[in-house]
Amino acid sequence: MISVVLLGGGNVAHHLTQAFLACKGVDLKQLYARNANSIAQFQNDVSITDDLNLLADADVYIIAISDDAISSISSQLPENKLVTHTSGSVAMNSLNNTGRKGIFYPLQSFSKTKPVNFSEIPICIEAEQDEDLKILEQLAQLISPKVYQISSDQRSKLHVAAVFVNNFTNHMYKIGNDICKQYDVPFEVLLPLIQETASKIEHVAPNEAQTGPAKRKDQETIQRHLNLLDAKQKEIYQLITKSIQNG
C-alpha cells in the first residue's frame, strides 16, 4: 500500500483523486487546496485541508497545481519526503523541497466534466534516486499499465509535441466549427472524419496518412478555400499548407 497526499484542486488533481480512491493499492490520505471548496466534493471520501501546516504524513506528495506555484508550494512540504509534480513542462529540479524529488506526469487533456479511463493514460515518471523511481513506478502501475521513465529534458520535448497534437489540433476544430456556423452547416457532419483521422495514425505514420489539397498540390482547390476564409483563417491555412508541402 502506497500512501499519497495530493495537492491541487484543478482538473489533473480531480481525476487523480478519483483514480486513487478507486485503487485498492493506494492509500489517499489527504487532499490539499488553497480553496477548500474546490475539493469539498471529496470530503466524505478523504481528509481535506487548506492548511499546509496540517498535511498528513505520506510516502508520496503529488503537486498538481499551476506551474508557476510549484516551486513555492514544494518549499513548504515536509522534509526528506518524496515530493513530485504533475507538470509536463516544469523540470524536476524546479521542486524546491528539502530532500527527494520526482515527477508523476499523466499525459492527457483533463476536464472535470469529462470522465477518463486511467488505464489508457500514459504516466511519465522520473526521480533522483533509483529507490524513489521504483516507488513512483509501482504507484503509476496501480492506475495505468502505460508507465514510461522520461527525463525532464525528454518531457519538455514531449510536452511541445503534445501541444501540437492536442491544443493546436483542438484549435483547428474550433476554426472548423466557426466555418460551419458561418455557412450554416452542422459541425457534427465532420465528427466521423475527425475520429477516422485520429484512429488512422495508430496504424499508419502521420506523414503517410496525410491527404488533402495541400498534399496533392491542388492549387485550384486551395484558392477556392482561401476565397471562403477571413484574414486570420487564410493566414493559418496558408502556413499549414506550406508546412505540408515542405514535408
Side-chain angles (χ1 to χ4, degrees), residues 6 17 20-21 42 46 69-70 93 105 117 126 145 160 165 187 192 243:
L6 182 58
T17 296
F20 288 150
L21 287 174
F42 297 112
V46 60
I70 289 174
N93 61 18
Y105 170 46
N117 181 358
E126 182 184 7
V160 173
V165 303
F187 179 72
S243 179

Side-chain angles (χ1 to χ4, degrees), residues 199-235:
S199 64
K200 185 186 295 184
I201 59 171
E202 294 183 23
H203 311 285
V204 181
N207 63 308
E208 296 177 3
Q210 188 68 57
T211 61
K215 178 71 171 180
R216 299 191 304 269
K217 297 184 179 180
D218 181 352
Q219 291 303 128
E220 290 187 9
T221 299
I222 290 170
Q223 189 57 53
R224 284 197 296 270
H225 288 173
L226 291 172
N227 292 339
L228 296 172
L229 304 177
D230 63 30
K232 179 58 69 175
Q233 292 167 351
K234 283 182 180 179
E235 181 182 357

Side-chain angles (χ1 to χ4, degrees), residues 12-221:
V12 176
H14 175 87
H15 287 288
L16 277 176
T17 296
Q18 291 184 321
F20 288 150
L21 287 174
C23 180
K24 294 181 179 180
V26 178
D27 178 14
L28 183 58
K29 303 195 74 171
Q30 193 177 49
L31 300 180
Y32 161 87
R34 287 185 299 178
N35 178 5
N37 289 331
S38 66
I39 53 175
Q41 70 184 96
F42 297 112
Q43 62 186 345
N44 292 330
D45 302 304
V46 60
S47 169
I48 69 172
T49 184
D50 58 4
D51 188 345
L52 288 172
N53 294 314
L54 298 178
L55 291 184
D57 183 65
D59 298 320
V60 184
Y61 293 77
I62 300 178
I63 301 173
I65 59 177
S66 60
D67 290 358
D68 57 2
I70 289 174
S71 178
S72 174
I73 290 292
S74 62
S75 69
Q76 302 175 65
L77 298 188
E79 296 183 1
N80 300 318
K81 292 292 185 176
L82 178 53
V83 174
T84 72
H85 71 67
T86 62
S87 171
S89 59
V90 176
M92 182 170 61
N93 61 18
S94 294
L95 288 165
N96 204 21
N97 60 301
T98 300
R100 299 146 60 198
K101 298 174 174 60
I103 298 296
F104 195 88
Y105 170 46
L107 202 170
Q108 185 55 275
S109 175
F110 294 100
S111 299
K112 286 185 178 180
T113 55
K114 174 69 167 61
V116 299
N117 181 358
F118 256 92
S119 68
E120 298 176 353
I121 296 176
I123 299 179
C124 302
I125 60 171
E126 182 184 7
E128 290 183 322
Q129 302 176 21
D130 289 342
E131 289 186 4
D132 289 337
L133 189 64
K134 291 178 181 178
I135 292 172
L136 294 182
E137 184 174 30
Q138 291 171 2
L139 177 61
Q141 288 176 341
L142 286 169
I143 59 174
S144 172
K146 301 180 180 182
V147 181
Y148 299 86
Q149 295 182 22
I150 302 288
S151 70
S152 286
D153 183 62
Q154 290 173 316
R155 184 163 37 84
S156 67
K157 275 72 170 181
L158 186 61
H159 192 256
V160 173
V163 168
F164 272 92
V165 303
N166 175 44
N167 306 122
F168 289 175
T169 299
N170 188 73
H171 187 64
M172 296 300 106
Y173 298 157
K174 187 265 185 189
I175 293 173
N177 190 45
D178 290 344
I179 293 169
C180 286
K181 285 183 177 179
Q182 180 179 354
Y183 293 102
D184 196 26
V185 178
F187 179 72
E188 65 188 43
V189 175
L190 294 174
L191 294 181
L193 177 62
I194 292 171
Q195 292 164 357
E196 172 62 17
T197 302
S199 64
K200 185 186 295 184
I201 59 171
E202 294 183 23
H203 311 285
V204 181
N207 63 308
E208 296 177 3
Q210 188 68 57
T211 61
K215 178 71 171 180
R216 299 191 304 269
K217 297 184 179 180
D218 181 352
Q219 291 303 128
E220 290 187 9
T221 299

